[in-house]
């Protein structure tokens, strides 16, 4: 079973930076997009950033201008550079790969999550 393995989480002071990485345990073909989502205690999972197979990026309003997503489909790897971190960025961050290969329906892969804690 393919797994997404995340790394790079940790504890950082407000204003600091972290870089998250996510890679697949086995090569995944036909990826249409990769992304990062996060979930804080007591809150719903929310979009952080996505990048399409063509390199089009999308960011959640809370992180625009501070976070940058990049990815390499051929290497099945996605990154999230997080700058000027705030305490409200504290959450578990999940990576996601979306795959589609006709006639199969779209399939989403999820990582196990990595904790990011920002102290004030």
């Amino acid at each position: 079973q393919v797994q997404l393995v995340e790394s790079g989480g940790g504890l950082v002071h407000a204003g600091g930076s972290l870089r998250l990485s996510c890679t697949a345990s086995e090569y995944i073909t036909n990826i249409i997009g990769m992304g990062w989502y996060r979930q804080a205690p007591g809150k719903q999972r929310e979009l952080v950033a996505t990048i399409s197979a063509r390199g089009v990026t999308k960011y959640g309003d809370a992180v625009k201008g501070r976070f940058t997503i990049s990815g390499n489909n051929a290497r099945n790897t996605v990154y999230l550079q997080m700058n000027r971190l705030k305490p409200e960025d504290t959450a578990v961050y999940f990576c996601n790969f979306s795959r589609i290969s006709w006639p199969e329906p779209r399939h989403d892969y999820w990582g196990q999550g990595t904790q990011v804690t920002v102290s004030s």
Side-chain angles (χ1 to χ4, degrees):
Q1 176 131 10
V2 176
Q3 295 181 334
L4 300 187
V5 181
E6 298 137 336
S7 62
L11 173 64
V12 65
H13 291 299
S17 299
L18 283 174
R19 186 175 188 240
L20 305 182
S21 300
C22 175
T23 190
S25 60
E26 299 176 22
Y27 186 70
I28 303 172
T29 60
N30 300 312
I31 293 175
I32 58 172
M34 300 182 286
W36 291 91
Y37 295 75
R38 68 186 183 186
Q39 187 166 17
K43 295 186 177 181
Q44 289 187 331
R45 188 172 297 191
E46 65 174 358
L47 166 73
V48 177
T50 60
I51 183 167
S52 74
R54 297 186 177 185
V56 177
T57 58
K58 178 181 178 181
Y59 294 92
D61 289 341
V63 307
K64 284 180 181 177
R66 299 188 296 122
F67 291 10
T68 302
I69 189 171
S70 60
N72 187 321
N73 277 9
R75 297 184 178 182
N76 278 187
T77 302
V78 64
Y79 305 96
L80 184 69
Q81 177 66 41
M82 304 185 292
N83 297 328
R84 291 184 282 138
L85 282 159
K86 304 176 181 179
E88 50 263 45
D89 293 319
T90 295
V92 178
Y93 284 68
F94 299 89
C95 69
N96 164 268
F97 286 9
S98 295
R99 176 184 185 271
I100 191 164
S101 182
W102 189 89
E104 300 170 6
R106 168 176 165 165
H107 183 80
D108 283 295
Y109 298 87
W110 290 94
Q112 79 286 355
T114 185
Q115 177 70 46
V116 171
T117 303
V118 184
S119 63
S120 57

